[in-house]
Amino acid sequence: MSSDPPTFAKFGKGSTPVLDAASLEAILLQAREWPHSTAWAWYRAGEQLHLEGQGDLQRHWPLVLANHELERFCESCGLQFWPTGQGEAVLGWLMAPVHVPHDGALADLAAAIGRQVQTDALARAQITQRVLYEITYLASSTRDRGVFLVGVHKLLATLIDAENFYLALYDAQSGKITYPYYVDVIDVEALEAENYEYLTPEHLSLTGQVLTSGQPLLIDAKGIALAGRQGRFHCVGHIPEFWMGSPLKNARDEVFGMIAMQVYDVERAYSAEDRALFLVVARHVAMALDRILHRADLEETVSRRTQELSQLNAALRLEVSERKRAEHLQVALFQIAELSSKPGELDGLYHSLHVIVGDLLYARNFYIAIFDGASGEVSFPYYVDEQLTGRPQPRRGRRGLTEYVIRQRAACLIDFDAATRLMIQGEIDDSREPIRSQSWLGVPLFDDDRVRGVLVVQSYASDVHYTLRDQDLLTFVSRHIDTALSRRSAAEAIYEANLRLEARVQSRTRELDHANAKLQYENAHDALTALPNRIHLQQRLAHAWSQYQTDGRELVVMFIDLDRFKMVNDSFGHHFGDQLLMEAGARLRSCLREDDLLARLGGDEFAVLAPGSSLEAAVEIAERILVAFDRPFFINGHEVFSSCSIGIVGADSQFHSEPADLLRDADKAMYRVKSAGRDSYAVFNQALRREVSDQVEQEGALRNALKRSDELLPYFQPIVDVQSGEVLALEALIRWHQPDGRIVAPGHFLPALEGLRLIGRLDLYMLTHVAQILAQPAHAHWPPVHVNCSSYSITRSGFADEVLAVLARHQVAASRICLELTEGALVAEPAMAQRTMQQLAEHGMSVVLDDFGAGFSSLSYVHQYQFNGLKIDKSFILELTSSARSRAIVRAIVRMAESLGLTVVAEGVEDLATLQLLREMGASQAQGYYFAKPAALQDLDLSGCRNVVTASQRPGALHDV
């Protein structure tokens, strides 16, 4: 890897960074410093998805994700994701929030990461293959077990963190464990070479667990601690952060030892790739060490025979013969090893193996069978036989002697009688052939732990019979043949991989132009609807604007937003919403002229660019759209209606200085339609421009007023007992004192704030102001004060905590404040509103439902949200004396609320007749100008309400008023 730091190209506004780095770490570091969003994370694929890099280091991302949880996690967190690299499966995923604008930068980053990950994977595979070759060569080239183990440790360290590594040999008969090689940087009391211990089944160590189970053990510190507490096995010495152990098995699948690696630093814990690589290397070490041990045994036998020959002169010829046989075998093994590195076709390799085996034993009839474990097919790529001149065809489902060896996974020596018994037992099929071999010897060929095929010699002559000694000899030779076939297969695989890689590079080069064209198309079109996107629209708008400036050609822009799309999306799901968007796009396109451009800006927002069109023509288009959207949409068996709001603007050099101004004014005209009730269109004209300007000016003045304490003031209006006139509560109503002395009622400025964060600041401002007043000792006797709360605040997650913090700061009990809510909060975000109300109620604050009966509200809301009371909308109270329907509604509300134990406030009482009707209906509380108008704090007089009520009870009081 280059030591030079990664570099960045300089970019203008809206450009996409080009990642220029020589390694994966450099790519990720470079991406953290680019001018685009750093709200991304990259996960490497494996048994699980592991977090390998992120842009914003302060942002929290889960360290591990299950592969099957990827899509659900991205959907729940609002993330978009791109694959990074492709091997047998996707090698990783790049994630970023959906709302993050990327302009292709994140896709480029994903592609850059993918290329580097694929390059690293290929490089690591090549290094791994080289290490496996060197381990095999080391086993063939050295007779010293210690030299072999040191070499294995060094080779393994080039692949995995092998700072702490040891190997144990195991005698299953005696339970003795020896440690010929042990390296550890932490355990200073580690076992020296040739030290030993005996396995204790009642108190197994990690090493003992692997040896007794015969299975690999990959475990972290938590797993080791848990196993210790459960009494399954324990750790000797320091507990590592991660420990890997794998059994060493011989050709008979017997455990004769194990190797282990461990790390003590959690930052160096082995990855899933390291664990898989460790198991592969362990199998090759097992085969190589098994050959060394066999070789050592053979040399020990030769040495012992030599000593016996010196004592027993009579056995001299036999010992000499054995020695020559061993030397001959060694020559054969060297020849087999040389074959694995020579190029050529497999037929030549098989023929050479035949010649080598024929020098060791009778092999006039010799064949090699290959077994495909996936399909169960047995084929015969090499077959030489005195009786059968043709090669047998590949077969499946047969039960011949070849398949019998594959099932047994061990060498089989079978004579004529033994073959007959196997036929009777059903182990092999009755061949019913007139000529059968007199002696048959088959040895399985292995690829790691998998049977890859069978090597067979057989004799049809009655005077030639194979012995167990021949079986052992051929078994021993077969292990070397295994290695030769593996090395040849690996070499061919690398050669083919290089060819495929070269072809892939050429293919990628040919596809580059196509990919660039496709990328340009995708960059300019919406992935869901295939409509032009915002980028495409801005490019076309800039061109049309240029024509408008040069030759005065008319230009119209329309901004279209689907009404209540969020409600459809939430009710039926995002897939349903996507279908609706696609059908809506098609319906919009059908209403336009051929030269008009329809683009999707995002979400449920569309825009139309109509070059050369007048405002009158644009209005006709809008009317066609509204008529088209009167028809229902049929999606997945559901009938759905979705109207739209349309804003229209024509280019005017007096007010528009750049193309973006047209989109801005069309958007404002559309929002004017939204606020007026939706399902219509509006043309942005001079009057609307003045209205928007006034609204912006008023919003700025209101923001400044919130920074002061003398402009936005609470006025208080009493809520009284209709029988006694006692003041039961006060309602705080906001008034805006202008610098010129005018007092502005809330109806003139609050509606413009709906949906803005500014309304939330105003709510907290009023609550704080009321809390300051209630905290004064002079107002300790005041009844509870009602404060109006917007739907924006009650559906904000932190609102309840902020209210309680204000009351705690001024030492005002929560029971002295009552919040008044309208039904809007319940319709918008019912779950969040319910949680906020529950939290406030737990601290003693009451909540009443305001303007009851004016909209969709019903007593089910009162029960569901646990309101303490409700206020009847004043539209019913004002008509109480003149409308029998209003009297019936109010009487029903009073009775039902009384049965539920709720307080009822009738607001809007302006005369005595209304008050007397409320008494007759049983209403308990009232509010209105009849009792008192809202008054500033210094003008508040709470004594007048009782006088008004008691005066109405005197004889003739009706005539006095």
Side-chain angles (χ1 to χ4, degrees):
M1 184 174 68
S2 174
S3 60
D4 295 333
T7 60
F8 284 89
K10 300 297 182 180
F11 304 98
K13 180 179 179 182
S15 60
T16 301
V18 177
L19 298 169
D20 178 18
S23 70
L24 181 59
E25 292 79 8
I27 290 173
L28 296 176
L29 177 61
Q30 187 172 344
R32 292 193 193 105
E33 300 173 353
W34 67 6
H36 292 256
S37 171
T38 58
W40 54 265
W42 176 62
Y43 285 78
R44 186 188 294 275
E47 296 177 349
Q48 292 180 309
L49 297 176
H50 293 267
L51 179 63
E52 296 287 347
Q54 62 186 92
D56 184 359
L57 299 180
Q58 302 300 319
R59 183 184 177 99
H60 174 71
W61 293 85
L63 297 177
V64 177
L65 288 174
N67 283 288
H68 67 278
E69 292 289 339
L70 171 64
E71 292 188 5
R72 186 166 62 183
F73 170 74
C74 291
E75 181 179 356
S76 63
C77 297
L79 300 175
Q80 52 191 331
F81 57 97
W82 300 262
T84 56
Q86 185 77 25
E88 294 182 359
V90 175
L91 301 179
W93 298 94
L94 180 69
M95 306 178 189
V98 173
H99 61 80
V100 172
H102 55 83
D103 294 338
L106 292 173
D108 290 345
L109 174 58
I113 293 175
R115 288 192 296 270
Q116 191 62 42
V117 169
Q118 289 174 313
T119 301
D120 294 346
L122 179 60
R124 183 158 189 167
Q126 293 174 335
I127 295 174
T128 301
Q129 195 61 54
R130 177 184 57 78
V131 169
L132 296 180
Y133 289 165
E134 292 180 0
I135 289 176
T136 303
Y137 176 78
L138 185 63
S140 302
S141 61
T142 181
R143 299 183 180 183
D144 189 333
R145 184 180 66 187
V147 173
F148 170 75
L149 295 179
V150 171
V152 167
H153 187 193
K154 291 181 178 178
L155 291 171
L156 192 56
T158 64
L159 297 177
I160 315 173
D161 186 350
E163 188 177 32
N164 306 293
F165 168 83
Y166 69 90
L167 181 142
L169 297 179
Y170 175 56
D171 184 356
Q173 297 294 328
S174 63
K176 183 177 180 180
I177 305 173
T178 59
Y179 297 89
Y181 191 82
Y182 199 112
V183 176
D184 196 285
V185 298
I186 297 296
D187 283 332
V188 296
E189 299 177 0
L191 296 171
E192 296 294 337
E194 302 302 329
N195 279 10
Y196 65 91
E197 62 178 339
Y198 286 90
L199 188 144
T200 306
E202 298 79 14
H203 194 63
L204 289 176
S205 63
L206 296 174
T207 301
Q209 173 67 17
V210 174
L211 293 174
T212 56
S213 67
Q215 298 297 324
L217 179 61
L218 312 173
I219 191 169
D220 59 11
K222 293 182 179 178
I224 295 173
L226 177 60
R229 291 194 297 271
Q230 295 175 346
R232 293 186 286 124
F233 50 85
H234 69 283
C235 178
V236 177
H238 289 76
I239 297 179
E241 286 298 330
F242 203 95
W243 190 91
M244 298 192 297
S246 178
L248 303 177
K249 297 183 180 180
N250 57 24
R252 294 181 295 276
D253 204 33
E254 298 170 343
V255 177
F256 68 89
M258 61 84 69
I259 62 172
M261 297 169 56
Q262 54 192 346
V263 290
Y264 297 98
D265 186 355
V266 68
E267 299 296 331
R268 299 167 65 181
Y270 299 112
S271 65
E273 186 179 14
D274 293 336
R275 303 172 201 174
L277 188 59
F278 169 74
L279 296 179
V280 171
V281 174
R283 288 194 292 271
H284 282 74
V285 171
M287 290 190 298
L289 188 58
D290 187 30
R291 290 196 297 272
I292 289 178
L293 295 177
H294 275 289
R295 186 189 306 154
D297 292 341
L298 181 61
E299 292 177 352
E300 181 180 356
T301 300
V302 173
S303 177
R304 185 171 60 253
R305 293 286 177 86
T306 302
Q307 293 177 1
E308 292 175 355
L309 284 174
S310 63
Q311 300 174 2
L312 303 172
N313 190 41
L316 179 60
R317 289 186 179 181
L318 179 62
E319 294 297 335
V320 171
S321 175
E322 288 296 331
R323 190 176 186 87
K324 289 182 178 180
R325 181 183 177 90
E327 292 176 353
H328 191 57
L329 175 61
Q330 191 65 38
V331 171
L333 297 182
F334 282 131
Q335 291 175 341
I336 292 173
E338 290 177 357
L339 285 177
S340 64
S341 59
K342 289 182 178 180
E345 299 293 334
L346 281 177
D347 287 343
L349 173 64
Y350 294 149
H351 176 72
S352 298
L353 291 176
H354 184 192
V355 173
I356 293 171
V357 172
D359 289 340
L360 298 176
L361 46 79
Y362 182 84
R364 290 185 181 178
N365 305 288
F366 175 94
Y367 71 83
I368 293 177
I370 299 299
F371 174 61
D372 186 347
S375 64
E377 182 179 85
V378 178
S379 59
F380 302 88
Y382 186 83
Y383 200 97
V384 175
D385 194 271
E386 294 174 306
Q387 302 295 333
L388 183 64
T389 57
R391 182 185 305 178
Q393 295 297 317
R395 66 196 191 194
R396 300 180 186 175
R398 291 280 300 277
R399 295 179 67 84
L401 290 175
T402 303
E403 286 82 2
Y404 180 73
V405 173
I406 293 173
R407 295 198 303 274
Q408 297 298 315
R409 297 173 58 87
C412 296
L413 176 59
I414 302 172
D415 58 15
F416 187 93
D417 294 336
T420 302
R421 288 194 300 272
L422 290 175
M423 290 181 187
I424 296 173
Q425 296 169 1
E427 291 290 343
I428 63 175
D429 296 332
D430 188 352
S431 64
R432 303 187 183 278
E433 295 178 357
I435 301 176
R436 288 166 46 189
S437 60
Q438 299 297 312
S439 186
W440 190 94
L441 176 58
V443 179
L445 300 174
F446 289 93
D447 181 6
D448 291 337
D449 193 41
R450 178 182 62 84
V451 176
R452 83 162 86 215
V454 181
L455 185 149
V456 176
V457 292
Q458 56 184 331
S459 167
Y460 296 103
S462 58
D463 59 340
V464 177
H465 289 82
Y466 298 107
T467 64
L468 291 176
R469 186 174 183 181
D470 295 328
Q471 175 180 318
D472 292 340
L473 176 63
L474 194 58
T475 300
F476 183 74
V477 172
S478 71
R479 300 288 78 83
H480 293 266
I481 294 176
D482 288 342
T483 302
L485 292 176
S486 296
R487 294 182 65 179
R488 175 63 68 87
S489 298
E492 291 181 352
I494 292 177
Y495 177 73
E496 292 177 358
N498 289 334
L499 290 179
R500 288 195 300 269
L501 181 59
E502 183 177 348
R504 189 175 181 183
V505 170
Q506 294 176 355
S507 176
R508 286 293 179 87
T509 302
R510 290 191 301 267
E511 295 172 359
L512 183 59
D513 292 339
H514 175 72
N516 287 335
K518 182 179 179 182
L519 182 61
Q520 290 177 358
Y521 177 84
E522 292 176 349
N523 191 46
H525 288 78
D526 175 50
L528 177 64
T529 62
L531 293 173
N533 59 14
R534 184 184 294 270
I535 295 175
H536 192 171
L537 174 68
Q538 290 173 339
Q539 292 172 349
R540 289 284 299 275
L541 179 58
H543 178 70
W545 176 259
S546 176
Q547 289 184 325
Y548 165 75
Q549 287 184 314
T550 55
D551 56 19
R553 186 185 183 190
E554 290 183 303
L555 174 61
V556 173
V557 173
M558 304 172 66
F559 204 103
I560 305 171
D561 186 89
L562 301 186
D563 296 332
R564 297 184 178 89
F565 174 76
K566 183 179 185 301
M567 182 166 53
V568 174
N569 219 22
D570 294 341
S571 301
F572 296 97
H574 291 285
H575 178 70
F576 191 98
D578 290 345
Q579 293 294 322
L580 176 58
L581 287 173
M582 288 189 288
E583 293 197 17
R587 192 169 294 186
L588 288 171
R589 179 66 262 179
S590 67
C591 299
L592 303 181
R593 303 173 305 173
E594 184 177 354
D595 295 336
D596 297 336
L597 173 70
L598 174 65
R600 183 189 176 206
L601 303 184
D604 59 345
E605 294 179 343
F606 297 85
V608 175
L609 175 63
S613 174
S614 64
L615 283 175
E616 291 76 11
V619 169
E620 291 178 2
I621 293 174
E623 291 175 344
R624 287 200 298 270
I625 292 173
L626 295 177
V627 171
F629 274 73
D630 282 340
R631 304 193 307 273
F633 293 89
F634 295 95
I635 301 174
N636 297 337
H638 295 274
E639 183 182 60
V640 179
F641 287 89
S642 178
S643 60
C644 58
S645 301
I646 308 173
I648 306 172
V649 65
D652 189 337
S653 59
Q654 182 180 357
F655 302 106
H656 303 138
S657 58
E658 58 181 353
D661 294 341
L662 294 173
L663 288 174
R664 177 200 64 201
D665 288 349
D667 187 26
K668 291 177 181 177
M670 183 275 293
Y671 272 104
R672 173 63 180 271
V673 177
K674 287 282 189 184
S675 62
R678 305 182 176 91
D679 193 17
S680 184
Y681 66 87
V683 178
F684 193 87
N685 52 26
Q686 187 62 25
L688 184 56
R689 181 173 287 106
R690 285 196 300 270
E691 181 181 325
V692 170
S693 177
D694 293 343
Q695 181 179 337
V696 172
E697 182 178 350
Q698 185 185 63
E699 183 180 333
L702 187 58
R703 291 181 183 274
N704 291 328
L706 284 172
K707 299 175 183 179
R708 301 169 57 87
S709 60
D710 58 348
E711 290 191 26
L712 296 169
L713 300 175
Y715 275 46
F716 298 93
Q717 186 178 32
I719 299 173
V720 303
D721 186 308
V722 299
Q723 299 294 336
S724 65
E726 179 184 357
V727 177
L728 302 178
L730 297 171
E731 181 178 3
L733 302 167
I734 191 168
R735 296 292 185 270
W736 189 358
H737 287 242
Q738 298 291 312
D740 59 3
R742 291 184 300 113
I743 299 177
V744 181
H748 289 83
F749 62 90
L750 285 185
L753 301 183
E754 287 298 331
L756 300 179
R757 294 174 56 189
L758 195 59
I759 192 70
R761 291 180 55 192
L762 188 60
D763 288 340
L764 284 176
Y765 178 91
M766 281 294 292
L767 281 166
T768 303
H769 217 93
V770 170
Q772 291 172 345
I773 294 173
L774 291 176
Q776 297 175 13
H779 305 139
H781 65 286
W782 271 28
V785 177
H786 289 222
V787 180
N788 289 280
C789 180
S790 67
S791 59
Y792 173 87
S793 293
I794 202 68
T795 56
R796 190 162 52 83
S797 59
F799 178 67
D801 292 331
E802 293 174 356
V803 171
L804 295 174
V806 168
L807 298 180
R809 186 163 61 250
H810 294 92
Q811 297 182 352
V812 175
S815 59
R816 300 189 67 189
I817 297 288
C818 176
L819 291 184
E820 292 191 6
L821 301 180
T822 62
E823 62 178 304
L826 311 182
V827 175
E829 295 285 349
M832 181 58 71
Q834 190 173 19
R835 285 196 293 270
T836 303
M837 292 170 60
Q838 179 67 28
Q839 186 176 354
L840 293 174
E842 290 173 354
H843 288 79
M845 183 175 293
S846 57
V847 182
V848 300
L849 180 58
D850 195 10
D851 297 337
F852 184 80
F856 301 103
S857 57
S858 65
L859 286 176
S860 63
Y861 279 163
V862 179
H863 175 72
Q864 179 182 356
Y865 293 94
Q866 299 180 352
F867 281 99
N868 302 94
L870 52 87
K871 298 179 74 173
I872 304 175
D873 188 68
K874 63 182 179 181
S875 62
F876 297 107
I877 306 303
L878 293 175
E879 297 178 354
L880 199 60
T881 59
S882 60
S883 171
R885 183 174 180 273
S886 294
R887 289 195 294 273
I889 292 175
V890 172
R891 184 177 290 108
I893 293 174
V894 170
R895 289 178 180 176
M896 286 189 291
E898 182 180 8
S899 66
L900 293 175
L902 302 172
T903 61
V904 178
V905 179
E907 56 179 344
V909 178
E910 296 187 355
D911 53 53
L912 177 59
T914 301
L915 176 61
Q916 288 181 337
L917 283 174
L918 290 172
R919 285 174 179 165
E920 294 172 3
M921 294 176 183
S924 59
Q925 299 180 26
Q927 179 183 5
Y929 283 4
Y930 179 73
F931 306 105
K933 293 182 178 181
L937 178 62
Q938 64 273 15
D939 300 328
L940 185 62
D941 182 8
L942 303 182
S943 62
C945 300
R946 181 182 296 272
N947 296 334
V948 170
V949 175
T950 55
S952 67
Q953 296 172 341
R954 295 197 308 271
L958 180 60
H959 303 287
D960 293 339
V961 177

